Amino acid sequence: MSKTPKLIQSIERAVALLEIIAQQGGGARLRDLATISGLGKTTAHNILQTLEQLGYVHRRLGDMNYYLGGRILNLSRIVGNDYVFRDRMHPILENIARDSGATVYFAVPSGDKAAYVDIVDLKDPLFAASRLRDREKLEGSSVGLVFLAFVPGLGKRVLATRSNALDENILSEIESVRIKGYALDIESYRPGINAVAIPWRESSGEVRASIALWGRLPNCRDSG
């Protein structure tokens, strides 16, 4: 008979609070979370603050509730899929590609990387199909900078796996994206290619995805 492992109380409590938020429809007040979990309000508040800093819960402006954060979806994407989300957005991406003449990328955060779940290239659909489900490091690309700027806790996740990934230049770019609301890539990620990326937000304001437009500079060949 296997021995029952010793459980870590702080992790048990954090998971319990996340499950209660889910059971309450995705959002709950501190008072209710403390009552249902049996925790003191101070203890529950401290755990929720930690979860908020890491992106597992978030609060909305003027709202007392704690909501499940994008980091929960982020982790699930590593083994899950975004096909329903992609299908809903695809007609919009096609319109953007048609109007701009650019290749349109639709990406979601996946662990400490970005995953492309849809790519619309009206001139070269085979290229687009070949890159679907690609996952790239966040640091450096316009899509990645959008996620690092607007998804809470994601920078800490990157540093946990690549301790030297976010140098002073990258941190400066991230802050610039927060201020401007969009990210530019002028041949920094792929030679001969310029890109601009914007966040795609849920109605709550939470960033769930990024839309990027990529275009080749005249008379340049992509060496990547």
Side-chain angles (χ1 to χ4, degrees), residues 185-195 214-224:
D185 176 356
I186 309 299
E187 289 196 273
S188 62
Y189 201 65
R190 294 181 184 275
I193 297 291
N194 287 342
W214 287 37
R216 188 183 299 276
L217 290 174
N219 302 319
C220 287
R221 295 182 62 86
D222 185 358
S223 61

Side-chain angles (χ1 to χ4, degrees), residues 77 79-91 106 108 116-118 132-133 208:
R77 285 189 185 105
V79 294
N81 65 67
D82 287 272
Y83 292 142
V84 174
F85 189 27
R86 179 199 65 188
D87 292 345
R88 177 158 59 94
M89 292 296 297
H90 188 77
F106 190 57
V108 295
Y116 294 110
V117 295
D118 200 3
L132 278 179
R133 305 306 298 181
R208 183 178 176 187

Side-chain angles (χ1 to χ4, degrees), residues 41-170:
K41 286 183 68 175
T42 300
T43 299
H45 180 258
N46 290 339
I47 294 172
L48 288 165
Q49 280 199 317
T50 300
L51 292 172
E52 185 175 13
Q53 286 296 311
L54 295 174
Y56 290 103
V57 301
H58 73 100
R59 301 181 73 181
R60 300 170 185 171
L61 187 63
D63 191 332
M64 298 298 292
N65 282 354
Y66 286 89
Y67 295 90
L68 294 178
R71 191 78 180 273
I72 298 291
L73 291 174
N74 188 0
L75 289 177
S76 69
R77 285 189 185 105
I78 297 174
V79 294
N81 65 67
D82 287 272
Y83 292 142
V84 174
F85 189 27
R86 179 199 65 188
D87 292 345
R88 177 158 59 94
M89 292 296 297
H90 188 77
I92 298 172
L93 303 179
E94 284 190 325
N95 287 338
I96 295 173
R98 192 173 296 110
D99 292 342
S100 66
T103 302
V104 181
Y105 287 73
F106 190 57
V108 295
S110 178
D112 59 349
K113 296 183 179 181
Y116 294 110
V117 295
D118 200 3
I119 302 173
V120 178
D121 187 333
L122 300 178
K123 297 178 181 177
D124 191 356
L126 291 179
F127 164 78
S130 71
R131 293 214 59 198
L132 278 179
R133 305 306 298 181
D134 273 8
R135 296 175 69 237
E136 293 184 337
K137 294 179 180 179
L138 297 174
E139 58 272 20
S141 72
S142 56
V143 163
L145 290 173
V146 164
F147 291 142
L148 288 168
F150 297 113
V151 178
L154 196 52
K156 291 182 180 179
R157 171 61 177 161
V158 170
L159 291 174
T161 55
R162 298 188 295 280
S163 60
N164 298 319
L166 306 182
D167 59 25
E168 290 186 6
N169 291 333
I170 295 294

